[in-house]
């Protein structure tokens, strides 16, 4: 019954050994970095949190093949919470370079994505996640929640007092095997890890190639004159969004913002804006 006593043994020791953390960094050409947060939470669990760490390190391996990227990419391999606190306390100058951050764990099992927003809720990185996740609905429509509404881990540190860097969290929370002996490699599927990785690679691509388009024209543009008209039979959604899109080129919205507002894929918006750029109808900011 619920009142039965339970006996347990806590086998710990206090030592003066060094506190070890891991770090993987690919420098970019700018002074801006992306921080991929995950952790090593506790032993004898596969999905929580090794699944997030595997995705993070594989992303680093694939990005390593890119020789010309603007943003730097950093992964921390740390014990949950205290590891991120320790790293930030010793690397304040390096951490000041971080412009975008996210946390990831529990992504190897069969369930739809769950996006927990940053504390700010509507930061550029939040909008980027929402725009990207529309393309990844193999397990159904993703769920969203406010900051700390779904999970609470290292995003609490980077998005907390003193740093407050917008840090959404991506998981497939919840799952029945959580914190039990059933959280083992049996519930992990490689295609789920790969799907998660593709989300982050798409997110990286959106951030890496993001810019703020500034209009250089006045009045409506005769798109067909520049070969820019979009056939509704080819892309209905972009076709019916063109008037709204042309009104969002005042330099105060980025590609990600426009994709989010118009419910269009980031790549679709970027490709169209790049064509406007080639025709000298906009400029990059």
């Amino acid at each position: 019954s619920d009142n039965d006593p339970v006996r347990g043994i806590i086998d710990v020791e206090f030592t003066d050994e060094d506190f070890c953390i891991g770090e993987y960094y690919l420098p970019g050409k700018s002074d801006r970095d992306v921080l991929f947060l995950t952790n090593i939470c506790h032993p004898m669990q596969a999905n929580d949190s090794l699944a997030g760490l595997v995705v993070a390190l594989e992303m680093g391996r694939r990005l390593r093949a890119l020789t010309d990227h603007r943003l730097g990419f950093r992964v921390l391999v740390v014990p949950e919470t205290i590891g991120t606190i320790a790293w930030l306390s010793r690397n304040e100058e390096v951490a000041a370079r971080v412009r975008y951050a996210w946390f990831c764990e529990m992504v190897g099992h069969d369930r739809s994505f769950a996006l927990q927003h940053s504390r700010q809720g509507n930061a550029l990185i939040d909008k980027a996640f929402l725009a990207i996740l529309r393309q990844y609905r193999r397990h159904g429509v993703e769920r969203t929640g406010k900051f700390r509404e779904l999970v609470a881990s290292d995003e609490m540190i980077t998005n907390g007092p003193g740093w407050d860097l917008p840090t959404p969290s991506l998981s497939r929370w919840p799952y029945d095997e959580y914190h039990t002996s059933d959280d083992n490699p049996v519930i992990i599927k490689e295609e789920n890890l790969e799907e998660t990785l593709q989300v982050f690679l798409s997110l990286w691509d959106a951030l890496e190639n993001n810019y703020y388009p500034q209009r250089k024209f006045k009045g409506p543009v005769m798109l067909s004159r520049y070969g820019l008209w979009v056939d509704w039979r080819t892309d209905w959604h972009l076709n019916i969004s063109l008037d709204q899109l042309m009104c969002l080129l005042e330099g105060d919205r980025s590609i990600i913002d426009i994709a989010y507002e118009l419910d269009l894929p980031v790549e679709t918006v970027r490709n169209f804006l790049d064509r406007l750029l080639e025709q000298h109808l906009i400029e990059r900011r």
Side-chain angles (χ1 to χ4, degrees):
S1 70
D2 293 339
N3 296 321
D4 288 341
V6 176
R7 297 183 62 189
I9 298 176
I10 300 175
D11 185 7
V12 299
E13 60 181 308
F14 295 92
T15 71
D16 292 327
E17 296 179 14
D18 290 338
F19 183 72
C20 297
I21 62 178
E23 189 176 353
Y24 181 83
Y25 182 58
L26 294 172
K29 292 187 174 181
S30 72
D31 62 350
R32 298 185 174 193
D33 290 346
V34 170
L35 177 60
F36 194 135
L37 285 171
T38 182
N39 60 47
I40 303 172
C41 185
H42 38 57
M44 307 302 291
Q45 304 281 281
N47 201 32
D48 176 28
S49 301
L50 291 181
L53 178 57
V54 167
V55 170
L57 293 178
E58 176 63 15
M59 183 172 177
R61 190 185 71 84
R62 297 195 190 185
L63 291 182
R64 190 172 58 193
L66 303 177
T67 56
D68 185 23
H69 51 93
R70 179 172 57 91
L71 298 169
F73 179 76
R74 189 182 303 273
V75 177
L76 297 184
V77 184
V78 294
E80 184 176 12
T81 305
I82 188 62
T84 300
I85 293 172
W87 184 83
L88 286 171
S89 71
R90 296 294 183 92
N91 294 277
E92 291 201 30
E93 186 174 333
V94 173
R97 296 169 51 95
V98 177
R99 294 296 182 270
Y100 311 106
W102 57 70
F103 181 81
C104 174
E105 66 179 354
M106 300 180 289
V107 289
H109 61 292
D110 278 329
R111 192 175 175 90
S112 61
F113 285 120
L115 175 68
Q116 177 177 276
H117 283 286
S118 70
R119 189 193 64 79
Q120 290 78 0
N122 63 345
L124 185 69
I125 189 66
D126 291 284
K127 296 175 182 179
F129 262 109
L130 289 173
I132 295 300
L133 280 173
R134 294 170 185 146
Q135 306 168 47
Y136 296 93
R137 291 178 172 171
R138 185 162 60 90
H139 296 294
V141 178
E142 72 280 353
R143 296 173 301 112
T144 62
K146 296 178 181 179
F147 192 59
R148 285 209 70 183
E149 190 173 55
L150 301 181
V151 297
S153 193
D154 294 67
E155 76 282 347
M156 287 295 302
I157 310 306
T158 55
N159 213 161
W163 298 100
D164 208 17
L165 177 69
T167 312
S169 174
L170 186 69
S171 68
R172 299 185 192 270
W173 173 259
Y175 64 107
D176 293 338
E177 299 84 359
Y178 177 69
H179 279 194
T180 73
S181 58
D182 290 331
D183 188 342
N184 58 57
V186 173
I187 69 171
I188 305 295
K189 292 186 178 179
E190 186 174 350
E191 58 263 33
N192 295 334
L193 298 176
E194 180 65 29
E195 181 187 43
T196 308
L197 176 59
Q198 289 305 317
V199 169
F200 287 119
L201 289 175
S202 296
L203 195 68
W204 167 269
D205 183 68
L207 296 171
E208 175 73 10
N209 295 290
N210 197 39
Y211 63 84
Y212 288 75
Q214 173 66 60
R215 168 185 54 81
K216 296 175 67 176
F217 58 86
K218 290 183 179 180
V221 176
M222 184 178 179
L223 295 176
S224 58
R225 173 184 174 186
Y226 298 96
L228 294 172
W229 183 73
V230 177
D231 192 329
W232 59 270
R233 291 161 296 192
T234 303
D235 192 333
W236 166 261
H237 198 169
L238 179 57
N239 174 280
I240 64 173
S241 302
L242 285 177
D243 287 345
Q244 291 174 284
L245 190 154
M246 299 301 282
C247 293
L248 298 177
L249 307 178
E250 301 300 316
D252 59 343
R253 289 175 173 85
S254 71
I255 295 174
I256 291 172
D257 293 306
I258 295 171
Y260 168 76
E261 289 188 35
L262 300 183
D263 194 18
L264 288 167
V266 173
E267 189 175 2
T268 296
V269 174
R270 185 172 68 237
N271 288 340
F272 184 77
L273 292 181
D274 284 349
R275 291 167 64 195
L276 289 176
L277 194 64
E278 291 173 2
Q279 297 296 331
H280 306 288
L281 293 169
I282 62 172
E283 60 185 8
R284 293 172 58 125
R285 289 183 54 192

